[in-house]
Amino acid sequence: MQFLFVGHIVQLAVVIGLANGLPPLPPGVRIVSGPTYNSTTTRVDFEIAAPQYQEDKGQWGGMVELIFPTTVNAAVQAGENATSNPTAFAGVKSILLVLPVAAGPSDSPYGDGLALVAQLGYQNSQGAVVVKPQFTTTPWFCDGSHPSSQPVRQAAYIHDIVLPLARMFCPAAADGTPCLVDLIGFSKSGWGALSLLLSNSSVYHRAAIWDAPTMLSLNFCQWMLERCNVSTGCLWDMMSDIGDCNAWAECAPDSLVPQAPQALKDMNNPRLFLSGQHYFGSWPNSGDYAKGPGAPFNHTVDMHARLTSFGIAHVYNDNLDPGKHEWSDVWLKPALEFLSTKR
């Protein structure tokens, strides 16, 4: 079966349990290749061109990778007609977004978060589709305000494109309730996961983060801009992505905490796992990023205090250090255990 999609014919080689095929996506967004199901890796790949969200660099970015429970293998044969087995993904109950730290097809030099989550078997124990989006610029998961004509709208890219594609494989409950979406990340992607949860708690159910610069402030952003060149990279490429300090502050967890909704304040149902440490826990390495006003050393410790002061429920663990700032089962296992608890 083929589907006409934004002017392109796409051969759908996976059972999706969705009679209407691909979901509606914004005008101008097109599927370049995929979705193709690989029964060996239980993975589906899309390559997406979305120039109104990020620069199109082919396979260097714009990929969305999905891994499924192995139970899907029992119901799906690679290349099977898209509507021949509508129950194939009935066992998928949730979505986990594994947010990358680096741009492009790999998370180098930080390891492979998607592969490690799959290795730990989260997709099987939780009946989850595990999703990793790729970005053509350093991901901060924010929508920028840019003097150039090239947009970088990473939060909107996830909301408008990644989630609709992921929801194809996660049927809604009988009462119409969509499947839950969780977030996991560290460093920049931990900053992004916390930002997305605080600003979109009705979309995202839980977030688990480790060793992230969560307390970077507006004052620090302004101080940094006086000392760096935005065109050649500034504050881990934050400014080249987001554009200016005011746009950045709209996404910064430090700014969002006081505005957190009541839904995040249920102490019987914490929706955030906050952990460290390596760079940004209670003994980070001192570098230029950690000097100046509003740049505390103890990001994880201080964010814990800030969340507590505003009554935001969270699980806190500042004793997780694998010795490197990377994807590691040392912190990933307890983070996934949190996401696995009763919902």
Side-chain angles (χ1 to χ4, degrees):
M1 174 171 282
Q2 292 182 325
F3 295 93
L4 185 62
F5 181 68
V6 197
H8 290 257
I9 298 292
V10 178
Q11 181 70 39
L12 198 59
V14 58
V15 177
I16 60 174
L18 196 68
N20 294 327
L22 295 168
L25 295 178
V29 175
R30 63 187 178 90
I31 305 294
V32 178
S33 65
T36 302
Y37 180 76
N38 183 319
S39 59
T40 301
T41 61
T42 65
R43 187 175 73 176
V44 166
D45 294 338
F46 291 88
E47 183 186 348
I48 300 165
Q52 66 271 50
Y53 294 86
Q54 60 177 345
E55 185 179 356
D56 184 2
K57 296 184 179 178
Q59 287 192 344
W60 192 78
M63 293 290 292
V64 177
E65 301 173 276
L66 306 94
I67 290 179
F68 300 100
T70 53
T71 52
V72 171
N73 271 342
V76 178
Q77 297 296 320
E80 194 172 12
N81 184 283
T83 57
S84 64
N85 190 347
T87 63
F89 291 88
V92 177
K93 303 299 183 185
S94 64
I95 296 168
L96 175 63
L97 295 184
V98 179
L99 302 182
V101 181
S106 72
D107 227 356
S108 177
Y110 306 105
D112 189 334
L114 182 66
L116 187 52
V117 169
Q119 180 182 325
L120 293 172
Y122 182 86
Q123 73 280 14
N124 294 321
S125 66
Q126 300 305 305
V129 53
V130 183
V131 184
K132 177 193 170 188
Q134 293 180 12
F135 298 90
T136 58
T137 57
T138 301
W140 280 98
F141 312 96
C142 189
D143 295 338
S145 174
H146 298 269
S148 69
S149 59
Q150 177 59 50
V152 180
R153 301 172 57 217
Q154 295 172 340
Y157 181 79
I158 292 176
H159 297 158
D160 298 350
I161 299 171
V162 176
L163 282 182
L165 292 175
R167 289 191 188 280
M168 291 169 60
F169 308 101
C170 190
D175 63 0
T177 303
C179 65
L180 299 175
V181 181
D182 295 325
L183 303 155
I184 195 164
F186 80 100
S187 194
K188 294 183 289 289
S189 70
W191 188 95
L194 181 53
S195 172
L196 291 171
L197 178 67
L198 290 170
S199 57
N200 297 277
S201 61
S202 63
V203 175
Y204 302 107
H205 180 243
R206 286 180 175 174
I209 71 172
W210 175 77
D211 203 31
T214 54
M215 288 296 291
L216 293 178
S217 69
L218 177 60
N219 287 341
F220 180 58
C221 176
Q222 294 167 338
W223 180 84
M224 279 294 295
L225 281 184
E226 297 172 359
R227 292 160 174 80
C228 64
N229 187 334
V230 173
S231 64
T232 58
C234 182
L235 194 59
W236 310 291
D237 294 323
M238 181 183 281
M239 288 301 101
S240 59
D241 273 10
I242 302 174
D244 62 55
C245 289
N246 289 329
W248 173 75
E250 292 180 5
C251 301
D254 176 64
S255 302
L256 292 171
V257 166
Q259 309 166 35
Q262 193 64 34
L264 296 179
K265 299 180 180 181
D266 182 355
M267 296 300 167
N268 294 318
N269 183 29
R271 292 169 56 182
L272 172 64
F273 179 79
L274 174 71
S275 66
Q277 58 195 326
H278 187 66
Y279 283 137
F280 304 112
S282 60
W283 59 57
N285 299 334
S286 60
D288 289 341
Y289 63 82
K291 300 174 182 177
F297 282 137
N298 303 331
H299 289 266
T300 306
V301 173
D302 290 351
M303 178 53 70
H304 167 56
R306 187 158 177 76
L307 292 168
T308 300
S309 69
F310 283 93
I312 298 175
H314 62 287
V315 173
Y316 173 63
N317 187 336
D318 195 39
N319 295 307
L320 303 174
D321 187 358
K324 292 183 179 180
H325 188 64
E326 65 182 12
W327 293 100
S328 166
D329 59 6
V330 169
W331 67 266
L332 200 53
K333 282 182 178 179
L336 293 176
E337 286 173 5
F338 166 79
L339 296 177
S340 303
T341 56
K342 186 177 179 180
R343 298 163 184 264

